[in-house]
Amino acid sequence: MVVKVSVIGLGYLGATHATAMAELGHEVIGIEIDSKKLEQLSGGSIPFHEPGLEQAFSRNLSSGHIKLSSDFASLASADLHFICVGTPQRQGSDAADTSYVVSAAKALASHLRPDSVVAGKSTVPVGTAAELKDVMSEIAGFEVNLAWNPEFLREGTALEDSLRPDRIVVGAWNEHSVGVLKTAYAPILNHGTPFLVLDVPTAELVKVAANAFLATKISFINAMAEVAEVSGADAVALANAIGYDERIGNKFLRTGIGFGGGCLPKDIRGFMARAEELGVGSAVDFLKDVDAINLRRRDRVVELAKQELGSLSAKRVTMLGISFKPDSDDLRDSPALEISQRLAKAGATVTVHDPVSLEALAEKDPSLGREAELIEAVREAELVILGTEWKQYREADPELLGSLVAKKTVIDGRNVLDVARWQQAGWKVIALGRSIENA
Ligand code: UDX
C-alpha cells in the first residue's frame, strides 16, 4: 500500500531515507530549509559522496516519487512524517544539540491531523521524544501520534542499509503509530526483517547504546594495540584469534587510528552528558576511556612521525585518505584529518590524497596541500601515512610508489597493507598495534 510520507531534513539521514521510502513505492515530500542544499537536490544531485544514492534519488525525483520543498505547508497531505534533522555535538559541550529537532517538530505540528503519525529518526538523548510530544500536542491542539524509529545506516552503504536493515525498531505510545509505520515498512518486513516494538525511551536508547557498544569494541582492540606495541605482540593477529569466539565475533575489531565520523564520537559524548543529567553519569563513565583510547591513537601516529623524521619542520608527509572511512567524503571528526592538521601545525608540509574528499577538504581546511593524482601525491615524500583504507591504497603498487618517494617509510594507520609485499619493495612498514621487524 502506498503511503504519503514526508521527510524533514535532507542531510545524510534524510536524503537516504527519502530515497529508500520512494524505492519502497511510497509518495515522498522532502523538506529542506537550507536553500543551497535544496537547490542542489532539486537538480538531482546529492551534496555528499554516497555510493548509489544519487542515481536512485534522481530517478525518483524525475519520476515524481520524490517532491521537494522548503515550505512545511506542502507536507500537510502526508500521513506519516519522518524527522531526520541532525543532532550535532553542542558547541562547547559534550551534549547533543537537539535544537534542530525541536524547531522541525514545532514547524511540523501546525500541519498535522489527529490521525497523522510523526516518526523521529534523529539520534536524540533519551527523554527527548516525550518532551517533543508535549510541545507538538500543544501547538496542534490534540495529542500527536509520535513514535521513535532510530536509523542504523552506515555511511558508504547507506541506501543498502536502509532497504535491508538488520532490524526495524519502533518506540510508540499507541497502536495506530505502530500500524502506520508497519504499513510503510511492509515491503522490507515481507523479507522477514525483525520489527521490534518497544517503549519510547528504550527505542531512543537503542541507537546510542548500539553506537556506544561499537565504539567500545573498537577502543577495546585499540587498547590491546597499545599493549601489543610495548610487548612485541600483534593486535591484528590478536583480534583475529579472539574473534573466532562467537561470543566476541570478529566484526568491529579492526585496530588502527580509530573511529571518527558524524555519529560514534558525538553519540558517546552525548550519551555521557545525558547520563550525567539523569544522575547516572558513573554508569557510562567508561565511555570517557573509550573516547580517550580512541584519541590516543591519533597522538601515537604524530609521535611515530616524529620518531621517524626527527623535527617535522618542512618535512614532506603524504596522507593517503582523509575521510573518516572509505566510500565517504565525510570529514567530521576524521582521525586522518586531525593527524594531518597536527603534523602541519608542527611544521610538516602535508599533502593529502583522497579519491573523493579533496573538495570537501578544500572547504573544511584549505591550508592542507591537496593532490588528486596518487603518483604526484607521494612524489618526494619523506613519510607516507595511510589514514583511510580506500581500495586504491590496498591495491597500490609499492614498487612504483617506492620509486617516487624520497624515503620509503609508510605508517599503515588502518592495517590493510600487505606488509611482506611492501617490505619486499624496500619499504619500512610501521603498523599501529603491530611490532613489525623491518630489515
Ligand atoms: C555508525 C554506525 O555503524 C551506524 O550503525 C550508525 O547509524 C551511524 O554510526 P558510520 O559512522 O557510518 O556508522 O561508520 P562505521 O562503519 O560505524 O565506522 C565508524 C568509524 O569506526 C570509522 O572511522 C571506521 O574507520 C572506524 N572503525 C570501524 C574502526 O576503526 N575499526 C573497526 O573495526 C570498525
Side-chain angles (χ1 to χ4, degrees), residues 152-155 252-254 259-260 263 324-325 414:
F152 304 98
L153 64 83
R154 292 161 299 176
E155 297 189 16
F252 261 68
L253 280 183
R254 290 195 319 274
F259 59 82
C263 289
F324 85 103
K325 69 188 280 193
R414 295 292 184 179

Side-chain angles (χ1 to χ4, degrees), residues 125-254:
V126 58
T128 305
E131 285 170 25
L132 289 178
K133 184 169 176 270
D134 289 346
V135 170
M136 294 173 86
S137 299
E138 198 174 316
I139 298 171
F142 50 81
E143 189 159 334
V144 168
N145 303 305
L146 178 64
W148 219 259
N149 169 218
E151 177 59 55
F152 304 98
L153 64 83
R154 292 161 299 176
E155 297 189 16
T157 51
L159 188 56
E160 178 67 17
D161 287 349
S162 300
L163 291 171
R164 273 167 279 277
D166 296 335
R167 76 299 206 191
I168 292 173
V169 169
V170 169
W173 277 282
N174 63 37
E175 273 304 311
H176 173 65
S177 307
V178 176
V180 171
L181 279 160
K182 212 170 195 173
T183 306
Y185 286 119
I188 296 176
L189 301 179
N190 290 342
H191 295 289
T193 303
F195 185 74
L196 311 180
V197 180
L198 311 171
D199 59 81
V200 176
T202 307
E204 291 173 307
L205 265 180
V206 170
K207 177 60 191 276
V208 278
N211 278 352
F213 191 84
L214 293 172
T216 304
K217 226 177 158 187
I218 299 169
S219 277
F220 174 82
I221 201 62
N222 282 335
M224 296 305 107
E226 288 188 28
V227 178
E229 277 161 11
V230 295
S231 58
D234 184 322
V236 174
L238 175 71
N240 183 47
I242 63 171
Y244 276 104
D245 184 330
E246 277 179 11
R247 293 167 302 172
I248 296 172
N250 60 8
K251 295 204 177 114
F252 261 68
L253 280 183
R254 290 195 319 274

Side-chain angles (χ1 to χ4, degrees), residues 297-346:
R297 292 286 77 192
R298 304 175 188 189
D299 300 342
R300 175 74 181 144
V301 176
V302 175
E303 198 182 286
L304 284 167
K306 284 185 182 152
Q307 265 172 32
E308 284 309 306
L309 298 172
S311 153
L312 290 175
S313 179
K315 295 285 163 51
R316 289 180 302 275
V317 178
T318 300
M319 180 62 75
L320 299 183
I322 199 74
S323 53
F324 85 103
K325 69 188 280 193
D327 293 318
S328 167
D329 63 353
D330 197 339
L331 303 180
R332 283 177 293 173
D333 215 328
S334 164
L337 176 61
E338 191 192 323
I339 292 165
S340 301
Q341 288 169 326
R342 284 173 59 182
L343 295 175
K345 207 166 164 215

